């Protein structure tokens, strides 16, 4: 009988087409022949549930990840992420901010990286460029109203990409930044972020959909980014009343491209005695811009959604084991920066069928105090 190490190239390559990402690495550790197959990366990993990006390990400084499909935590040495706060995820790339309030865009599994220009000012009192100039070791000051550690976590609320940088070099990065979550964009080659003239309200989410960027604000106010002349937001003209008909209040709105349909998702909940927001459920709305109307969805066609500071993700539960059918997985950080509240997170999975909320993680998993967990779909090759 032939040894496992003597299996032909075609057979071994076919085997890798059935392996999730962690098993690809285990496959390559078996022997020299298998390792050479693994390094060629001809077969992408089989679909898995998204991972969660956690905080640095305090001793090793390795970045911790939680693999939802396995219910297992991994620790990976990624020096570029040491001490950085993750403020966004898109196409398997992470937006990360350090204590000097400078950012990078990085694929944590390939280590490809873009340096981002300084962020625009947080508000009229706190200019980020000034903060950076004041960061030598002999500077003992702090930004107005918060510490550098807190500014690191609030300067960017959300960050997404128009395309995967590995597939298109002319991608656009869009962020919601500052005290009012204003939109701004950057493209490779730009020396600075371009702030988009917005509305007099705070933005909740951004989406790249069919060639345009859309943003949503409170009261389901939907706008599109107009890049002509001076970039600005233009309201789409579709009124979508808040759908919260249960006891509670709207906490957050999300946008997602769901198989060619734009969906607007309302998260509603309540505040406890410590003024912490707690999620009670979600309402899924499909804005139909061309028809100037909208529909309310009772389910999401057997899929699952993953919402948070990431570009929202949808997964077909029929193709991915352990995926909750019609489930909405969510992670949400507190907006408070007080010493008591800072770092609080609201996370779980909402079942659209029976309208209940459960957990998606094992009891021994400890989520970070400061870094809000961020969903990522690994994009290793």
């Amino acid at each position: 009988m032939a040894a496992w190490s003597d299996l032909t190239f075609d057979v071994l390559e076919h085997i890798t087409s059935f392996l999730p990402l962690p098993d690809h690495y285990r496959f390559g550790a078996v022997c020299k022949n298998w390792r050479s197959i693994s390094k060629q990366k001809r077969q992408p990993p089989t679909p898995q549930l998204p991972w969660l990006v956690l905080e640095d390990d305090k001793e090793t400084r390795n970045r911790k990840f939680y693999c939802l499909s396995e219910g297992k935590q991994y620790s990976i040495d990624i020096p570029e992420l040491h001490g950085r706060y993750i403020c966004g995820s898109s196409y398997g790339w992470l937006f990360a901010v350090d204590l000097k309030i400078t950012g990078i865009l990085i694929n944590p599994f390939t280590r490809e990286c873009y340096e981002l220009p300084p962020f625009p000012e947080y508000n009229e009192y706190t200019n980020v460029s000034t903060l950076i100039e004041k960061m030598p070791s002999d500077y003992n000051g702090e930004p107005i109203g918060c510490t550098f550690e807190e500014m690191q976590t609030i300067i960017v609320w959300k960050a997404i990409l128009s395309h995967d940088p590995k597939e298109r070099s002319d991608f656009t990065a869009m962020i919601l930044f500052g005290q009012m979550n204003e939109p701004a964009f950057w493209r490779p080659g730009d020396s600075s972020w371009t702030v988009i003239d917005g509305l007099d309200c705070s933005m909740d989410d951004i989406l790249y959909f069919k060639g345009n960027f859309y943003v949503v604000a409170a009261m389901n106010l939907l706008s599109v980014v107009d890049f002509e002349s001076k970039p600005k937001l233009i309201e789409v003209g579709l009124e979508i009343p808040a759908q919260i008909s249960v006891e509670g209040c709207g906490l957050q709105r999300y946008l997602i491209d769901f198989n060619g349909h734009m969906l607007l998702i309302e998260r509603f909940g309540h505040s406890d005695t410590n003024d912490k927001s707690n999620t009670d459920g979600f309402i899924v709305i499909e804005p139909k811009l061309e028809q100037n109307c909208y529909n309310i969805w009772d389910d999401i066609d057997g899929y699952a959604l993953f919402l948070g500071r990431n570009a929202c993700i949808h997964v077909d539960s029929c193709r991915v084991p352990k995926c909750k059918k019609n489930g909405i997985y969510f992670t949400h950080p507190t907006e408070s920066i007080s010493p008591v509240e800072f770092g609080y997170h609201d996370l779980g999975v909402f079942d659209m069928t029976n309208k209940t909320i459960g957990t998606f993680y094992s009891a021994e998993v400890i989520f970070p105090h400061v870094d809000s967990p961020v969903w990522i779909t690994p994009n290793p090759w």
Side-chain angles (χ1 to χ4, degrees):
M1 181 176 178
W4 284 99
S5 59
D6 294 331
L7 290 175
T8 66
F9 176 92
D10 290 343
V11 170
L12 290 172
E13 187 178 62
H14 184 64
I15 290 172
T16 63
S17 68
F18 296 94
L19 301 180
L21 180 60
D23 286 344
H24 266 272
Y25 291 103
R26 298 181 183 113
F27 178 93
V30 171
C31 63
K32 183 177 180 180
N33 189 29
W34 289 30
R35 184 163 55 252
S36 66
I37 300 295
S38 177
K39 285 184 176 181
Q40 293 189 32
K41 299 180 178 180
R42 294 194 179 187
Q43 298 289 345
T46 190
Q48 267 192 308
L49 293 170
W51 292 29
L52 277 174
V53 187
L54 306 179
E55 63 185 346
D56 284 348
D57 184 282
K58 302 304 180 186
E59 296 182 359
T60 66
R61 302 191 73 190
N62 290 352
R63 178 63 61 163
K64 294 186 289 187
F65 294 82
Y66 181 69
C67 176
L68 188 57
S69 291
E70 296 183 338
K72 185 175 181 179
Q73 189 168 288
Y74 291 94
S75 180
I76 305 174
D77 184 22
I78 308 173
E80 295 89 343
L81 292 181
H82 289 174
R84 289 187 180 266
Y85 179 81
I86 308 302
C87 62
S89 163
S90 188
Y91 291 103
W93 294 68
L94 298 175
F95 290 81
V97 182
D98 66 10
L99 272 177
K100 293 186 177 181
I101 324 299
T102 59
I104 61 171
L105 172 65
I106 183 171
N107 184 321
F109 296 97
T110 66
R111 306 277 292 280
E112 296 170 90
C113 186
Y114 290 84
E115 297 285 341
L116 299 175
F119 296 112
E121 62 184 38
Y122 177 73
N123 57 29
E124 60 181 310
Y125 308 106
T126 308
N127 187 295
V128 175
S129 298
T130 303
L131 295 182
I132 296 172
E133 294 170 0
K134 291 183 177 181
M135 281 298 288
S137 58
D138 60 347
Y139 177 66
N140 296 317
E142 295 284 3
I144 295 176
C146 64
T147 67
F148 279 108
E149 288 82 1
E150 291 164 348
M151 176 61 70
Q152 180 188 20
T153 68
I154 62 176
I155 183 64
V156 176
W157 170 252
K158 189 81 175 263
I160 69 166
L161 300 169
S162 63
H163 302 88
D164 183 348
K166 292 198 299 181
E167 297 181 358
R168 286 186 56 167
S169 60
D170 59 342
F171 66 90
T172 300
M174 186 76 70
I175 62 172
L176 297 179
F177 78 93
Q179 195 167 22
M180 295 298 291
N181 292 348
E182 299 175 68
F185 71 91
W186 170 85
R187 296 181 176 119
D190 291 352
S191 59
S192 62
W193 292 91
T194 299
V195 179
I196 298 168
D197 284 348
L199 310 173
D200 293 329
C201 58
S202 180
M203 305 295 136
D204 272 0
D205 202 5
I206 43 180
L207 169 70
Y208 187 75
F209 180 73
K210 296 184 177 180
N212 291 303
F213 280 99
Y214 292 86
V215 300
V216 65
M219 303 306 295
N220 297 338
L221 183 60
L222 194 60
S223 302
V224 63
V225 177
D226 179 9
F227 285 100
E228 296 296 329
S229 184
K230 186 176 182 181
K232 59 183 178 297
L233 291 180
I234 299 176
E235 293 184 41
V236 300
L238 174 60
E239 293 188 11
I240 307 176
Q243 301 298 310
I244 308 304
S245 58
V246 296
E247 184 176 349
C249 59
L251 299 176
Q252 177 79 20
R253 281 140 292 275
Y254 305 89
L255 294 172
I256 185 172
D257 182 347
F258 182 83
N259 296 327
H261 298 268
M262 178 192 292
L263 297 184
L264 190 163
I265 299 140
E266 284 189 90
R267 182 173 68 93
F268 63 89
H270 67 279
S271 296
D272 61 19
T273 54
N274 295 318
D275 201 30
K276 293 178 180 178
S277 61
N278 295 275
T279 298
D280 292 329
F282 294 83
I283 296 174
V284 179
I285 307 163
E286 180 188 6
K288 302 174 79 71
L289 302 183
E290 295 181 357
Q291 292 86 359
N292 197 37
C293 63
Y294 63 90
N295 294 330
I296 307 297
W297 287 23
D298 295 324
D299 60 56
I300 42 179
D301 200 25
Y303 279 72
L305 305 182
F306 294 80
L307 312 181
R309 296 182 88 164
N310 55 290
C312 299
I313 301 166
H314 65 280
V315 171
D316 186 350
S317 62
C318 295
R319 296 185 59 214
V320 180
K322 301 182 181 179
C323 183
K324 190 173 189 61
K325 183 179 180 180
N326 292 317
I328 299 180
Y329 296 76
F330 62 94
T331 67
H332 189 77
T334 181
E335 296 184 19
S336 169
I337 56 174
S338 72
V340 175
E341 305 297 326
F342 188 58
Y344 170 80
H345 307 298
D346 180 18
L347 43 86
V349 56
F350 175 68
D351 187 325
M352 289 192 69
T353 303
N354 57 32
K355 312 301 182 186
T356 58
I357 290 181
T359 59
F360 55 75
Y361 49 89
S362 51
E364 65 271 14
V365 176
I366 300 176
F367 286 105
H369 176 65
V370 175
D371 279 14
S372 174
V374 176
W375 297 111
I376 183 174
T377 302
N379 183 9
W381 54 85

